[in-house]
Amino acid sequence: MGALVGLVLGVGLFLIWWSCWVDPQPAAPLERRRGGLLDRARDLLAQAGVPTVSPQALAAACLTVWLLVAFVALAVTQSPTVAAAFATMAAWGPVALVVSRARRRRAVLRELWPEVVDNLASGVRAGLSLPEAVAQLAERGPEALRPAFEAFALDYRATGRFGEALDDLKERLADPVADRICESLRITREVGGADLGRLLRSLSAFLREDLRTRSELAARQSWTVNAARVAVAAPWLVLAMLSSRPESVKAYDSGAGAVVLMVGGAVCLLAYRVMVRIGRLPEEERVLR
């Protein structure tokens, strides 16, 4: 009975998680709901530097981790319920890895965008056309961003369509600052205007001020996020130590034990999300896709 409860618990949690990744739009019109879960997953993978990985592949990795951890934990603890609980937590590992990598990469790019804007402003002042000013970033821009701008240059030389090349560049970078820069260049290209240089200089100054302020706040509030992680991990570390003795976790194989683990997991997740929401600085969203 306990094994059945644990299996049902694990499958149910996985199905709930899996439903969050299903694209609600039909495939026939070949259109996706903008800002949906699949869009955010693709943006997250692009921001993490792995744009070739699809959301479906990420979901498959989570399922694989769940199965492996469930098998190992069941062999060690002899408790299906406890094994399902640890497997469910471990299944979030690939997503957490991608999120962490994307956050670190966004922090790195946040320091590089002012330099990109300065290079664009210099190119415009030097009399370069807008496509040339963007393409020259493949050689003069920051090292981490050169591949994306090199791909832009190749796209523009192959098609001659500035707007489409900008759209592809936005998808590769998946960054709100890149969206603003690309849309500013697109508007200038389409309707003209003599204030692009002034706009870019103002944007560069704003980005530097935002970076300075964000760095100060992040240094002060990092302890909140670390405290949340320690508080959430503590009870599960105790459970892991108890699981080394199968006779100590027999109580969790009952229906009441499964409910205790479910409620404990939900409370830990809710508390962690609240603490992270309080302590972490908000990330800018892509509104100019």
Side-chain angles (χ1 to χ4, degrees):
M1 185 63 182
L4 179 61
V5 171
L7 180 62
V8 172
L9 171 65
V11 173
L13 291 174
F14 171 74
L15 290 177
I16 293 174
W17 179 87
W18 179 263
S19 67
C20 296
W21 296 86
V22 178
D23 192 349
Q25 297 294 330
L30 297 178
E31 294 181 355
R32 296 180 285 111
R33 182 168 60 91
R34 303 182 71 84
L37 286 175
L38 282 177
D39 285 323
R40 291 198 292 271
R42 292 187 183 97
D43 287 347
L44 188 64
L45 290 166
Q47 292 167 2
V50 285
T52 56
V53 178
S54 66
Q56 291 79 8
L58 181 61
C62 293
L63 177 59
T64 302
V65 171
W66 191 94
L67 293 174
L68 290 175
V69 174
F71 177 78
V72 174
L74 182 61
V76 172
T77 65
Q78 302 298 318
S79 173
T81 307
V82 174
F86 282 113
T88 302
M89 289 187 291
W92 188 251
V95 178
L97 179 62
V98 171
V99 171
S100 177
R101 180 169 176 174
R103 187 176 295 114
R104 290 195 301 269
R105 191 166 180 267
R106 281 197 301 266
V108 171
L109 295 184
R110 197 176 288 120
E111 299 179 358
L112 300 179
W113 284 123
E115 181 181 349
V116 170
V117 177
D118 289 342
N119 284 332
L120 282 175
S122 298
V124 171
R125 285 199 304 269
L128 296 178
S129 65
L130 291 180
E132 291 173 344
V134 179
Q136 56 93 24
L137 291 172
E139 299 177 357
R140 298 180 53 191
E143 190 71 28
L145 293 172
R146 287 182 183 180
F149 289 107
E150 184 177 357
F152 166 85
L154 292 175
D155 289 342
Y156 182 73
R157 285 198 294 267
T159 65
R161 298 185 178 92
F162 185 60
E164 293 183 6
L166 281 181
D167 290 335
D168 293 338
L169 178 63
K170 288 167 60 176
E171 291 301 317
R172 293 188 193 97
L173 295 172
D175 188 274
V177 178
D179 292 345
R180 279 185 282 172
I181 295 173
C182 291
E183 291 306 319
S184 299
L185 297 175
R186 189 196 308 275
I187 293 174
T188 302
R189 172 84 168 185
E190 293 178 355
V191 303
D195 294 332
L196 178 61
R198 184 185 306 170
L199 183 148
L200 292 175
R201 289 192 296 272
S202 300
L203 179 58
S204 176
F206 169 78
L207 291 175
R208 285 188 168 88
E209 181 65 22
D210 178 73
L211 176 62
R212 183 186 66 81
T213 304
R214 181 177 289 270
S215 299
E216 293 178 357
L217 293 175
R220 295 178 182 179
Q221 295 185 353
S222 59
W223 66 270
T224 305
V225 178
N226 293 332
R229 291 171 178 167
V230 172
V232 169
W236 301 102
L237 289 176
V238 173
L239 180 61
M241 289 186 291
L242 291 175
S243 300
S244 61
R245 298 172 57 92
E247 61 272 13
S248 301
V249 293
K250 287 183 179 179
Y252 293 108
D253 288 334
S254 63
V259 171
V260 168
L261 288 178
M262 290 179 62
V263 173
V267 170
C268 288
L269 178 61
L270 177 61
Y272 177 74
R273 295 302 302 173
V274 170
M275 288 288 288
V276 169
R277 173 77 63 162
I278 293 173
R280 180 169 291 159
L281 297 176
E283 296 288 345
E284 188 176 1
E285 296 184 1
R286 296 185 64 192
V287 296
L288 298 175
R289 289 174 174 273

